[in-house]
Every structure is written in structure tokens, then in C-alpha cells.
Amino acid sequence: MIAILDATPDNPIPGYPVAGFFDGVGNRKIRYAIFKTKARFARGTVVLLQGRNESIEKYFETIGDFMEAGYWVATFDWRGQGGSERLLAQSTLGHVEYFADYGRDLMTFLEQIVLPDTRLPFSIVAHSMGALVCLSVAPALATRVDRMVLLAPFVGLGGQVIGEPGIVAVAAVMRWLGLGRLPLHRDGRSHGPFTNNPLTRDADRYARNLALLETHPRLSLGPPTARWLNEAFRTIRRVTRREHLTRITVPTVLLAPTADGLVPYVAIERLASNFRAGHLIPIDGARHELLQEADRYRAQAMAAILAFLPQAEAGEDDESRQFLQRRAS
């Protein structure tokens, strides 16, 4: 099996990455890629973790920004989505047997790919579902990563017709009835029209991401299954408990868009209130996908990330330093 990264005219591949597969839980093939900075002295490695229904390709712009700032980037597609092995015969359904499998895949990636093949220090930048996975294994990350940045962490669900309690109940009943591999709804669209979308205010980035899926439909994913939802909500309940959060010692920044239509801001605020190692930074007016947002919001998120990541103690080159200064201004 050959790992291929897909591009479009508006979304070119940054640099000359190394791409491949590693074996996740159950020997599932997980696609990964490593991007190396052109800077003379690498400042470290960013482990970039996506949300649900995303792929490596969606983050080419952000990966390019980290590379320009002097960082390597190591990233992979979660099992069942992007270019990784799908888990059901109906491959467009978002499914997972156990949410813990995501965490085990992440730990395998850190141990088998990141540790031997990239540059210290290591930091995690994770969006939405990726941030939830990161939170679930965070107590075990203290000896592996120096910093974590969690963007719009998926710790609650808003914008739904029947509300989060109703979805939690329906997903649990469907799983109990043996219907866990069915979706709660059958709308297979990964993206709707730009108008009133909950993800971003940036029409160009939204169109770019839609064109990527239309050009390379193998990257698309439809609605989640009842089992996926049930597993996700179980994980949310576990990681938002104070006893779990107090076991996390990795310094963490929580970037919370205040106009997020998918993850309520109050849910992230509540998480932060019990998270001793976490510091909440609101991005006022931004929607869910901070790294796909309009420049006025995305620039705030990137500036906060780059200011928080570990700084090179020696050998920092002028090109990287000037880039950081531009982002912070």
C-alpha cells in the first residue's frame, strides 16, 4: 500500500514530505506524513491532530505556516477517515468500535514515528475530536510532549435539533439494540452551502476545502454512526471530570471560539475551570474551525500557538524569528 497525499491548485503540498502507513490497533493501516522545515535550525516538532471528517490535506496551509516558523510537522489521519483504512463496508460512515482505539493509535504514532524520526521538543496542536483524544490520553503524555494546544476541543455538542441529551440517549439505545453501525441521520454531505455554515466565516477557505473533497472523494466522510457518538460522549464524560483533569500536567492552552455552533463555548469554559494545567484563551467571534477561519480570527489563533510552543534556546535563525514576530504583530 502506497501513501499518497492529494493536492488541488488552491491547496498545494507544502515542501517534500515523507508519507507512509503505520499499524494501528487491530493492524489497521493509518496514513501519516512528516514535513520538514527549510530553516537551518529546527525549533522542534508539532504533532498536528485533526478533527472528525478531516485529513492531512485540509491542513496544508497550516503545516506550511509551522514549517516557515521553523518547525517540523508530524501528522496522521485518524482510523476510518482521510487516507487511513476505513472500518466499515459503507466507507463513508464515521465509525469507531472504541474511542480508546484513537488514543492507542496516537501513542503508537508518538512512539514509532515521532520519537525516532523527528526533532525535539515535541508539542501537540489538536482540533476538536483530536483535542478530545488528546485529553483522553493526556495523563500519559507528560514524558512525551512539552506543550499542548487544544482548539475548540470537542467536550460538548450544540446546534442540534434534539439537543445533546437527546442525541446521547438515542445513540445509547441504538447501540444497546445492536444498531450501533447505523447513523442517526442519513445526510451524507460532508459540507453544505457556505451560508450560515458553523465552521468558518472565510468563503475562500471553505471553497478550497470543498474543492479538495470534490476532487478527491476518497477523503470524504459522512455522518457518524450511533456507536461513534456513544463512544464520544462516554469519553467526554470521563475527560471532563476533575479527577481526570488533575492528572494532566502538560502545560496546555485551550483556544475557544466564542461563536462556535458545534461545541458550545460554555462547555470549554467549564472544562477550563477544572483544568489546572490548562489556560483558556477565547477567540471572540470565531467559529468552530479556527485554523480554517477568516484571517482576523486565524491570525489570533496562530499567534497564540506560536507564542506558546517551546522556543529554540540556541541557533534560532533569522528567518524563523522574523516569521514569529510578524505573526505576533
Side-chain angles (χ1 to χ4, degrees):
M1 184 180 291
I2 300 175
I4 298 173
L5 297 177
D6 296 313
T8 62
D10 292 333
N11 195 52
I13 299 173
Y16 301 94
V18 174
F21 290 93
F22 68 90
D23 290 333
V25 175
N27 293 320
R28 297 289 186 176
K29 298 300 180 184
I30 309 297
R31 185 182 67 156
Y32 76 90
I34 295 175
F35 299 79
K36 300 179 182 181
T37 180
K38 292 181 180 179
R40 288 179 296 162
F41 301 101
R43 302 169 62 85
T45 299
V46 172
V47 179
L48 184 60
L49 305 179
Q50 316 147 15
R52 197 195 84 84
N53 188 20
E54 295 189 319
S55 65
I56 295 169
E57 287 84 351
K58 186 172 179 178
Y59 286 87
F60 281 168
E61 178 186 15
T62 297
I63 291 168
D65 285 345
F66 284 130
M67 292 168 65
E68 188 179 349
Y71 292 95
W72 288 30
V73 178
T75 186
F76 68 96
D77 291 338
W78 297 113
R79 59 178 47 233
Q81 68 181 48
S84 291
E85 185 177 350
R86 301 299 171 103
L87 306 181
L88 298 178
Q90 190 174 347
S91 61
T92 56
L93 289 179
H95 183 72
V96 72
E97 288 296 308
Y98 299 100
F99 216 83
D101 290 347
Y102 289 136
R104 296 187 185 104
D105 289 343
L106 171 57
M107 300 304 283
T108 298
F109 181 62
L110 293 174
E111 292 165 7
Q112 295 186 6
I113 307 298
V114 175
L115 181 60
D117 295 338
T118 66
R119 299 291 184 87
L120 288 164
F122 304 138
S123 302
I124 287 178
V125 176
H127 168 65
S128 193
M129 186 197 88
L132 176 58
V133 177
C134 189
L135 282 170
S136 73
V137 299
L141 293 177
T143 60
R144 292 172 169 82
V145 300
D146 285 45
R147 304 283 175 89
M148 299 191 302
V149 180
L150 308 181
L151 300 93
F154 178 40
V155 291
L157 183 62
Q160 308 301 309
V161 175
I162 64 173
E164 181 178 318
I167 294 175
V168 169
V170 172
V173 169
M174 288 181 65
R175 179 175 182 172
W176 183 75
L177 292 173
L179 303 175
R181 294 192 171 197
L182 296 179
L184 268 65
H185 65 87
R186 297 192 176 277
D187 184 357
R189 296 175 299 171
S190 17
H191 286 76
F194 174 74
T195 305
N196 297 325
N197 83 87
L199 305 177
T200 175
R201 299 180 191 277
D202 192 287
D204 291 336
R205 289 188 174 102
Y206 190 86
R208 178 194 66 192
N209 295 335
L210 186 59
L212 174 66
L213 297 177
E214 291 175 343
T215 306
H216 304 287
R218 75 186 187 97
L219 300 176
S220 297
L221 195 68
T225 63
R227 187 178 182 110
W228 187 96
L229 287 163
N230 181 253
E231 283 288 314
F233 286 120
R234 285 183 173 188
T235 304
I236 289 171
R237 287 196 298 272
R238 179 172 66 85
V239 305
T240 53
R241 292 173 181 150
R242 181 172 298 182
E243 54 266 35
H244 177 84
L245 293 170
T246 55
R247 295 171 54 221
I248 301 174
T249 59
V250 179
T252 303
V253 160
L254 305 168
L255 295 182
T258 64
D260 193 332
L262 294 179
V263 178
Y265 174 76
V266 293
I268 303 176
E269 194 174 41
R270 188 163 52 247
L271 171 75
S273 67
N274 292 315
F275 193 176
R276 293 178 183 174
H279 176 68
L280 177 67
I281 299 180
I283 307 294
D284 192 39
R287 294 181 181 174
H288 184 62
E289 294 187 346
L290 283 170
L291 297 178
Q292 315 293 329
E293 253 290 14
D295 287 345
R296 64 183 179 276
Y297 305 118
R298 186 177 184 276
Q300 294 178 58
M302 286 300 297
I305 293 169
L306 291 171
F308 183 65
L309 294 184
Q311 304 294 306
E313 295 182 1
E316 182 181 350
D317 65 292
D318 291 337
E319 180 183 357
S320 297
R321 183 163 52 250
Q322 290 169 5
F323 179 79
L324 287 169
Q325 291 170 346
R326 292 198 304 272
R327 283 290 179 187
S329 64

